[in-house]
Amino acid sequence: QGGWLVNGENIILNNIQIRRKPGAGDGILQNGLDFKNTKGLTLKDVTIDNVEIGSALRLENVTDLELDGFKSSGVPADSPDINLINVRGAYIHESRGKPNTTFAHVYGKLTQDIRYAGNDLNGARIEVNSDVALSAIKTIRATVSGFEIPDAVEVNKHYLVQASVHSEDFVPGLFPISLKVDGVTEAIRWLWLEAGETKTESIIGPKLFASRTYRIALNDLPPRSVKLKPLPANFEVVSANLPRWNRILKSGSQGLITASIQNTGSYSGSHKLTLTAGNEALFQKTLTLKAGEVSIEEIPFKISKPGIHTLDLDGQWTATSKVYTEALDSQFLNYTFDDIDGDLLADESGLDHVALLKSNPNGSVPLQVDGIIGKALKFNGESAFVEIPQLLLKFPMTLSLWVKSGELTPSSTAGRQMILYASIPNGNDGYGPEPEIHLMRATGETFSFWTNEADQRLDIRYPIEDKNAWTHLTVVYDEISRLYINGQEVTSQSGIKPPTIDDYADRIYIGRPNVDYLRYFNGAIDELQFFNEALTTKQVASLFEEYCK
């Protein structure tokens, strides 16, 4: 990491050069400079080269910023050189960009007073999110003409508004297009224009509902009248927190679904919202909503009969639930990483386990990135891991997860990366004589499943088809110590079978770093599930097919 600072004040850095040799085995610069919650920051003559992840410079919630003489190279093609997030009061000057790249990207509704002048952008551009206010950034002089809009639009459908924008300035810069509906600004589109450039641009109009005529305008152009094609009242389940697969419930326990219901028609209406499981109605409520109105509903339910049940919300959202006499008979851990509260991750299996996001001293906790299911955890070498304490991991068992391996870090011992680690409750903190199990990324294009039990050194390799893509693994230890990965039986390099271990772990680590061995997992994990039973080959195939949808 180039470096980071949180909660700083009146910071001045001059003549800073941060770079690594491309392809070097050590000194890898994963991230550039990162400043957060800082008041008064001056960066003069700063050069940051060869960043592997993200931007060279990231500034979040920074007030009173001066960036004088900044340049970078070797930034990933999909990342800007600079990220400015809710920065208030910034002057960027005498800095240099690169052709056909994004010099800076500005985010956040709290952004204010961003100025830039005297830079050699060299064909680079500045991008601005639509949540940034019109008054927040210095703009160039430009005119808008050729305003086009449909004569009529459909209910609950976006539509395109087009116009021609011509720069009348002698320097490149930003110019906003704002779309107003009945005098209220509903959408903003920021354009980057070279000196004298003319562009024809489209901006997406907001959904309309009530049956009437609307007045729509771009910037200061005269408004145009638009009619709405009316439709009867129509109730849609816009979103619901029904799980994608296999919600585990204890028989007779209370479940709760939160759903967003919208009337997507042009008129007011009433509707009976219904949740069913098979032929049984679990919940009913009559809703009355105006055109376009949204209602957030909490829907309690209870299933007493054990078995597999399909929950159906209004015929629009469904999910499968397993109901057991005791929830611990089956799944006992399920993390999707979508909702992180501080350093805590909430277990979604209904058993209230807690995972802790932790880091080595002066390190950073895992980042949230887009995964297969939703948000995933991105690990950062030795600086981040997740600890799941107070567990009793039973065998036989099933582990299911999506994993993106990333690259091997230079300090990985024996060319392996730690992904998952667990040991029995004997006070062991890693790599001791007690039975342990590890899931790793091994040297080459394989995942490795490994234990250190004396004279039983299991070593199973599973090929990675694409190290840059997400790989789904469902690993099953059955009752006679056979091991299956994605439904196929696998054996170790030495022919040793997996060990049978009765009560296994009181603590599990994901992306586990260790200051002695330094085995790091530099990748990402999406939805992680443990089952306190070994699933059959058919069940694993069904699980895999469900994920692939």
Side-chain angles (χ1 to χ4, degrees):
Q1 222 170 4
W4 64 94
L5 179 70
V6 179
N7 300 327
E9 189 169 351
N10 298 327
I11 306 298
I12 300 174
L13 297 179
N14 291 323
N15 192 23
I16 304 297
Q17 297 184 21
I18 302 173
R19 58 168 56 96
R20 71 172 177 89
K21 182 179 179 181
D26 53 12
I28 292 175
L29 187 63
Q30 287 192 333
N31 306 101
L33 282 174
D34 190 343
F35 293 88
K36 187 174 182 180
N37 301 339
T38 301
K39 295 180 179 180
L41 174 63
T42 299
L43 302 177
K44 181 177 176 61
D45 296 329
V46 174
T47 300
I48 303 175
D49 295 333
N50 300 319
V51 176
E52 294 206 349
I53 302 172
S55 300
L57 181 61
R58 186 179 185 275
L59 304 157
E60 181 177 357
N61 194 25
V62 173
T63 303
D64 189 14
L65 164 71
E66 181 178 3
L67 192 58
D68 177 3
F70 172 83
K71 60 182 178 180
S72 66
S73 64
V75 175
D78 58 350
S79 298
D81 292 348
I82 307 170
N83 263 323
L84 296 102
I85 306 166
N86 290 321
V87 172
R88 297 175 294 283
Y91 181 40
I92 302 172
H93 60 104
E94 315 307 325
S95 296
R96 186 179 303 172
K98 304 178 295 298
N100 303 316
T101 64
T102 302
F103 174 71
H105 199 138
V106 184
Y107 304 81
K109 62 183 180 180
L110 300 180
T111 300
Q112 296 176 11
D113 189 22
I114 306 296
R115 294 169 292 126
Y116 52 95
N119 300 293
D120 178 14
L121 294 185
N122 195 22
R125 61 191 176 275
I126 297 175
E127 296 178 349
V128 182
N129 259 32
S130 60
D131 59 353
V132 175
L134 293 172
S135 60
I137 301 180
K138 173 190 174 184
T139 60
I140 60 173
R141 292 177 291 109
T143 57
V144 181
S145 61
F147 178 22
E148 295 183 5
I149 190 170
D151 293 330
V153 298
E154 296 183 17
V155 175
N156 194 31
K157 295 290 180 64
H158 290 291
Y159 47 92
L160 290 180
V161 179
Q162 290 186 324
S164 177
V165 184
H166 174 70
S167 169
E168 297 180 344
D169 219 316
F170 297 102
V171 294
L174 291 161
F175 183 78
I177 300 178
S178 62
L179 185 149
K180 298 179 181 178
V181 178
D182 293 340
V184 178
T185 300
E186 295 286 356
I188 297 173
R189 174 86 182 276
W190 287 89
L191 305 180
W192 179 260
L193 297 172
E194 298 295 328
E197 183 180 8
T198 300
K199 284 184 175 181
T200 298
E201 291 291 330
S202 298
I203 186 169
I204 298 175
K207 295 178 180 180
L208 304 175
F209 294 95
S211 179
R212 60 182 177 84
T213 299
Y214 295 85
R215 301 282 284 172
I216 296 179
L218 283 183
N219 289 35
D220 296 326
L221 295 178
R224 299 268 299 274
S225 296
V226 174
K227 293 181 179 181
L228 194 69
K229 300 175 183 178
L231 289 176
N234 180 57
F235 285 70
E236 289 188 11
V237 181
V238 179
S239 65
N241 67 336
L242 286 171
R244 293 176 180 267
W245 184 86
N246 201 27
R247 174 68 173 173
I248 304 300
L249 297 170
K250 182 179 178 181
S251 176
S253 64
Q254 188 83 25
L256 183 65
I257 296 171
T258 301
S260 176
I261 316 296
Q262 184 177 27
N263 178 5
T264 59
S266 307
Y267 306 98
S268 298
S270 297
H271 173 74
K272 182 176 288 186
L273 184 68
T274 304
L275 176 70
T276 61
N279 296 323
E280 182 183 1
L282 303 179
F283 176 88
Q284 285 187 333
K285 180 180 179 180
T286 299
L287 298 178
T288 300
L289 300 176
K290 299 176 182 178
E293 185 178 0
V294 177
S295 178
I296 307 299
E297 297 293 328
E298 290 191 344
I299 304 169
F301 68 95
K302 183 184 297 184
I303 303 177
S304 300
K305 184 179 179 181
I308 297 177
H309 301 269
T310 298
L311 295 175
D312 185 307
L313 183 58
D314 254 23
Q316 300 181 49
W317 286 69
T318 61
T320 300
S321 288
K322 278 187 177 180
V323 178
Y324 284 81
T325 304
E326 293 291 338
L328 272 172
D329 290 344
S330 181
Q331 188 181 33
F332 71 96
L333 194 65
N334 178 19
Y335 291 111
T336 63
F337 312 124
D338 279 322
D339 298 311
I340 296 179
D341 182 11
D343 295 333
L344 301 180
L345 304 176
D347 175 20
E348 296 188 356
S349 63
L351 301 176
D352 298 325
H353 289 110
V354 173
L356 306 175
L357 286 171
K358 304 183 76 173
S359 65
N360 282 348
N362 302 317
S364 60
V365 298
L367 303 173
Q368 278 188 287
V369 297
D370 290 333
I372 296 293
I373 304 299
K375 292 292 184 182
L377 288 183
K378 174 72 174 70
F379 294 85
N380 180 20
E382 78 276 14
S383 66
F385 64 102
V386 177
E387 176 186 353
I388 308 171
Q390 307 305 320
L391 289 180
L392 186 62
L393 178 58
K394 289 282 191 179
F395 278 74
M397 64 159 288
T398 299
L399 163 69
S400 180
L401 75 163
W402 285 94
V403 60
K404 191 172 184 180
S405 60
E407 293 298 325
L408 288 170
T409 56
S411 300
S412 300
T413 301
R416 298 171 184 263
Q417 293 177 325
M418 179 67 67
I419 297 175
L420 195 74
Y421 161 82
S423 71
I424 61 174
N426 282 353
N428 174 35
D429 63 353
Y431 308 98
E434 298 89 346
E436 303 163 1
I437 190 163
H438 313 266
L439 166 60
M440 302 179 183
R441 158 83 184 280
T443 300
E445 307 308 315
T446 62
F447 287 112
S448 173
F449 298 85
W450 179 82
T451 72
N452 74 329
E453 193 170 15
D455 301 322
Q456 297 288 314
R457 194 168 292 275
L458 174 71
D459 196 352
I460 292 176
R461 304 292 173 89
Y462 185 76
I464 304 171
E465 293 184 3
D466 184 353
K467 66 180 181 180
N468 295 316
W470 289 89
T471 300
H472 176 261
L473 298 175
T474 296
V475 184
V476 177
Y477 296 86
D478 76 359
E479 64 277 2
I480 56 174
S481 298
R482 290 179 301 193
L483 189 143
Y484 298 85
I485 301 177
N486 291 348
Q488 298 180 349
E489 185 174 2
V490 291
T491 57
S492 69
Q493 301 289 312
S494 59
I496 297 174
K497 290 184 177 181
T500 300
I501 304 175
D502 293 330
D503 44 62
Y504 194 56
D506 68 342
R507 197 168 296 268
I508 295 174
Y509 299 96
I510 308 167
R512 167 76 163 124
N514 183 281
V515 293
D516 299 321
Y517 258 49
L518 300 179
R519 284 183 173 154
Y520 307 151
F521 171 54
N522 182 25
I525 287 181
D526 208 336
E527 187 172 59
L528 174 67
Q529 295 181 325
F530 285 91
F531 296 84
N532 215 18
E533 61 181 15
L535 304 182
T536 66
T537 302
K538 184 176 180 180
Q539 288 172 316
V540 171
S542 176
L543 175 63
F544 185 65
E545 290 171 3
E546 189 70 25
Y547 271 121
C548 289
K549 292 178 182 179

